[in-house]
Amino acid sequence: LIGLRHYEFKFEFPRAEPPLWKDRVSRWYQLDAYAYGLAEGAYRWMEFESPDLVILASPLASNETDCSFVDSGFASPSKFAHTLPNIRCSPFCQVMDWSGPVLCLQRDPRTQTLALVEGFELVTSRFSRVWILSVIRQEFHYKVHCLELSKNLSGFVMAKNKFESSEMSTVGYSAADDSELLSWFDGQKPEVKARLCFANDGFHTYEIRKEF
Amino acid sequence: LIIEGTLQHNVAPTKGEKVLNILAYGCTSSAGPTVTDFFDGLRDGKDHSQMFEDPHLSRICRWQTGLQNLSSLEKITTQLLLAWNQIKDQKIDISELGIIFASTKGCIEDFFNGQTVTSDPLTPILDLFIKKSELKATLSICVSNACSSTLAALFLAEQWILQKRAKSVLVLSADEIGPFVNRGFYSLKALSQTKSQPFGAHRDGLQLGEAASAILLGESESAEIEIIGVGIDTEGFAIARPSHSGDSLFKSCEMAIHAHTPDLIIAHGTGTVANDEVEDQVLSRLFQKKHVPITSTKWSIGHTLGASASMDLIAACEVLRTQNVFSISNTEEIDLKFQCHYLNGKKMVRQFQVEQILLTSLGFGGVHGAAFLKRVHH
């Protein structure tokens, strides 16, 4: 069993005021919303025990910034720099004063779900603490998510089981995509509060439940 | 700029001499649709760049195909299938297969043709490749770690095999150079106005290139190439250039080499002022006065972005197999500030014993990587 915690916060972008971490990131005013969100997350969570691997799960990659670069007439180098989805991790590292391995993963519409699976497997086999970071655009704001995995964490627990097709139909429900995973954490589906199961490779299921 | 002292790993090093093999590989590039085309170009000192349609932009190393009318999705998938077909013919057991697709921008060029975008730009390529190749993948995912994407994919593939979640892993890598990418690099003023001259005194930037590759990894007693180690690291210094100290690249190399000394280094060698400077500093610091020879591939096929480390990996396999070492042919005069031993100039092929090769990779956002390969004697 692996311990799991979920942190999140909303923010609006662009912001009128300079951020509290402005002295830690050079040219902070050129960051896109996603890089800004992760830098803000790093500032809020910098007192936590540091991860030894970060997975950057990027649903829709950098599509929003890509459009913005095209709209600039392909002329803005600072916008182009943010058209790589891994770039947003740089200000995160600058604010946290952290360096280490980062995997930037994509597999829409299951980017965060599969990143969670990879995080679970990496904590099981080799790393002691993994953070899975995402920034999601919602209608009028953005939301930053951090899923922290470690063997000694209280909160939720995550486990891997052999695939039993009968179990999938009777326990919780199958998270087909990221929106179901996030809504489970948000508690928006009261009928499935207790457990969340989802399949990955056809041989195993992964299960998250609240630790009582 | 040299930093004294020993760096500490912030992750446990992997278990020494593990056995992860490269079972087979295939590629397509501006040199042609096979590995032989690519390696012959390196040995013959051939720069495959051509002038792009827009004279304000740079020279580009384009795929030699008649696929111009296809969408990016179809074009890149076709190139990946061509690379895969070079492996498929070798009839290797691929049960319990994982597939990882490494790329920076995937089929981004399609996203501005009026289509509704509901996905990241990499997943459609991976899905179409799986469908057309009819491969049964138990695991599949996309990795987008800038120009170190392939080494990050290799790192993940190694984990899948060690975790026994896959018996073999197919690492696919590809990037296309369309208007989006080309104009982007133009806006950064990163493109060479002359020719790519990695580590040269007169280097003035990179030239972009297109490539696709397929590399099959697994465990096999009969394989000829072994991966000793893969290291990746990300630093928080700046978005578009590596730190002056190069600590993060240094850490990646340390993780990969496990205190061994390579016989040859295939360096990232973009030909930009800042990147080459940091690489020279890190490699001289790592190997001090051992004078390990260094070469690179980007002068021949361009900087193929997410596929660049895969092309370096294939070049390394071919050097280990043939014992023919290619030079950095475009570079006539090495930067006098540099301390390492570069193989440059028109002496095309050198022959000396090469048993172990180190590859390095630097990416935007401070994502760096290294891999260490060894020839297996049977």
Side-chain angles (χ1 to χ4, degrees):
Chain A
L1 294 178
I2 300 294
L4 170 64
R5 279 185 188 157
H6 175 232
Y7 313 103
E8 64 174 34
F9 63 89
K10 287 180 186 174
F11 70 100
E12 288 174 2
F13 189 85
R15 305 289 292 259
E17 298 295 316
L20 293 169
W21 39 266
K22 66 182 169 55
D23 296 332
R24 291 173 178 257
V25 179
S26 56
R27 301 185 189 182
W28 61 269
Y29 44 85
Q30 290 182 343
L31 300 182
D32 71 358
Y34 298 84
Y36 186 97
L38 286 187
E40 178 68 25
Y43 189 76
R44 292 179 185 215
W45 304 323
M46 62 195 297
E47 299 303 326
F48 295 177
E49 197 170 331
S50 297
D52 47 14
L53 181 138
V54 166
I55 298 178
L56 197 54
S58 307
L60 296 177
S62 53
N63 291 350
E64 185 183 329
T65 307
D66 296 353
C67 288
S68 164
F69 173 63
V70 172
D71 291 344
S72 79
F74 300 98
S76 166
S78 62
K79 282 198 166 68
F80 179 66
H82 285 86
T83 64
L84 289 167
N86 68 287
I87 291 293
R88 59 192 72 162
C89 213
S90 177
F92 172 85
C93 293
Q94 289 174 55
V95 174
M96 285 271 286
D97 194 19
W98 180 89
S99 73
V102 173
L103 289 170
C104 185
L105 302 181
Q106 296 167 15
R107 197 71 174 107
D108 287 347
R110 300 189 72 205
T111 293
Q112 289 166 297
T113 311
L114 295 184
L116 182 58
V117 167
E118 292 308 321
F120 174 89
E121 294 288 351
L122 288 164
V123 168
T124 305
S125 63
R126 180 174 164 185
F127 292 87
S128 64
R129 190 174 302 269
V130 171
W131 286 14
I132 299 152
L133 302 171
S134 303
V135 183
I136 310 290
R137 182 173 189 171
Q138 299 184 321
E139 208 170 347
F140 299 110
H141 61 265
Y142 297 83
K143 202 175 215 182
V144 182
H145 294 270
C146 174
L147 292 165
E148 181 182 29
L149 288 156
S150 180
K151 284 178 182 156
N152 304 310
L153 272 183
S154 57
F156 299 101
V157 290
M158 186 169 175
K160 181 180 181 180
N161 306 311
K162 274 194 176 171
F163 180 79
E164 301 281 352
S165 58
S166 57
E167 188 188 38
M168 291 300 287
S169 59
T170 56
V171 177
Y173 65 94
S174 166
D177 59 33
D178 293 345
S179 60
E180 289 180 75
L181 179 76
L182 294 181
S183 66
W184 187 81
F185 280 113
D186 283 348
Q188 291 168 2
K189 300 209 173 189
E191 72 279 13
V192 287
K193 274 277 176 77
R195 298 171 78 182
L196 174 70
C197 283
F198 50 94
N200 181 37
D201 56 6
F203 302 108
H204 299 98
T205 57
Y206 294 84
E207 174 192 341
I208 306 168
R209 61 174 183 267
K210 285 183 180 173
E211 193 178 56
F212 292 104
Chain B
L1 291 176
I2 294 175
I3 306 294
E4 299 294 339
T6 309
L7 285 164
Q8 299 294 316
H9 289 291
N10 65 349
V11 296
T14 50
K15 294 179 207 161
E17 307 270 332
K18 64 176 124 350
V19 179
L20 176 67
N21 299 113
I22 294 180
L23 306 180
Y25 47 86
C27 71
T28 72
S29 67
S30 51
T34 67
V35 170
T36 307
D37 296 324
F38 166 49
F39 197 62
D40 282 353
L42 292 170
R43 287 195 298 198
D44 296 344
K46 188 155 185 204
D47 175 345
H48 299 280
S49 63
Q50 294 179 334
M51 206 59 206
F52 191 50
E53 298 84 64
D54 184 339
H56 299 295
L57 301 184
S58 169
R59 298 174 70 83
I60 293 181
C61 301
R62 281 210 181 283
W63 278 312
Q64 300 172 5
T65 64
L67 305 175
Q68 286 84 349
N69 295 329
L70 296 182
S71 67
S72 287
L73 170 62
E74 292 165 318
K75 201 186 301 178
I76 295 169
T77 308
T78 303
Q79 295 292 345
L80 287 170
L81 288 164
L82 285 169
W84 162 242
N85 285 342
Q86 295 163 45
I87 294 178
K88 191 172 76 172
D89 297 342
Q90 298 179 34
K91 301 198 185 309
I92 298 167
D93 175 24
I94 48 165
S95 55
E96 293 182 42
L97 178 72
I99 304 181
I100 303 174
F101 176 46
S103 178
T104 61
K105 296 306 296 176
C107 56
I108 188 67
E109 303 292 348
D110 290 345
F111 284 14
F112 302 103
N113 293 337
Q115 297 179 14
T116 307
V117 176
T118 56
S119 161
D120 67 86
L122 275 60
T123 291
I125 296 171
L126 180 53
D127 284 340
L128 187 60
F129 175 86
I130 291 172
K131 185 180 168 194
K132 289 202 167 182
S133 65
E134 298 180 354
L135 285 168
K136 302 223 176 330
T138 54
L139 301 169
S140 64
I141 206 155
C142 304
V143 174
S144 190
N145 274 44
C147 302
S148 295
S149 294
T150 297
L151 294 186
L154 210 62
F155 176 89
L156 187 59
E158 186 184 44
Q159 304 306 313
W160 283 3
I161 289 171
L162 291 173
Q163 293 159 357
K164 301 192 190 311
R165 295 166 66 204
K167 280 187 180 165
S168 51
V169 180
L170 182 63
V171 174
L172 304 168
S173 310
D175 262 311
E176 178 200 17
I177 309 300
F180 182 92
V181 172
N182 199 27
R183 287 173 185 235
F185 276 93
Y186 182 73
S187 75
L188 287 176
K189 300 185 169 56
L191 299 174
S192 167
Q193 297 305 305
T194 54
K195 60 181 181 179
S196 168
Q197 300 177 73
F199 306 104
H202 308 294
R203 67 191 187 282
D204 67 344
L206 53 87
Q207 63 190 18
L208 295 165
E210 296 177 324
S213 69
I215 299 174
L216 187 64
L217 307 165
E219 292 174 282
S220 167
E221 288 180 0
S222 60
E224 294 177 346
I225 311 286
E226 191 177 311
I227 299 175
I228 303 284
V230 182
I232 57 169
D233 195 75
T234 297
E235 64 186 2
F237 176 71
I239 281 170
R241 65 180 195 279
S243 65
H244 301 304
S245 70
D247 282 353
S248 181
L249 179 62
F250 190 92
K251 270 164 72 176
S252 304
C253 292
E254 272 199 323
M255 279 184 232
I257 61 179
H258 301 294
H260 294 292
T261 301
D263 302 311
L264 178 72
I265 297 167
I266 299 183
H268 192 60
T270 56
T272 58
V273 171
N275 262 34
D276 289 3
E277 213 167 86
V278 169
E279 257 195 304
D280 178 80
Q281 187 203 315
V282 167
L283 295 174
S284 63
R285 189 171 137 205
L286 263 174
F287 302 113
Q288 297 179 351
K289 291 178 181 167
K290 290 176 181 162
H291 295 294
V292 181
I294 298 175
T295 188
S296 76
T297 66
K298 290 178 182 60
W299 59 269
S300 175
I301 57 160
H303 189 343
T304 56
L305 306 177
S308 62
S310 73
M311 299 307 285
D312 288 350
L313 207 63
I314 289 171
C317 292
E318 287 294 290
V319 169
L320 291 171
R321 192 178 67 78
T322 63
Q323 295 290 293
N324 287 341
V325 182
F326 54 89
S327 329
I328 310 169
S329 275
N330 274 6
T331 302
E332 285 154 25
E333 195 183 326
I334 296 294
D335 190 325
L336 287 175
K337 291 194 300 293
F338 290 174
Q339 302 171 61
C340 291
H341 172 43
Y342 296 94
L343 304 176
N344 69 307
K346 292 294 176 195
K347 187 179 176 190
M348 306 303 179
V349 181
R350 293 164 168 87
Q351 287 189 307
F352 54 88
Q353 194 172 358
V354 183
E355 299 292 331
Q356 305 182 126
I357 298 180
L358 172 68
L359 312 176
T360 56
S361 187
L362 295 90
F364 271 9
V367 291
H368 306 311
F372 195 53
L373 272 58
K374 179 177 130 183
R375 181 162 73 135
V376 181
H377 294 273
H378 294 289

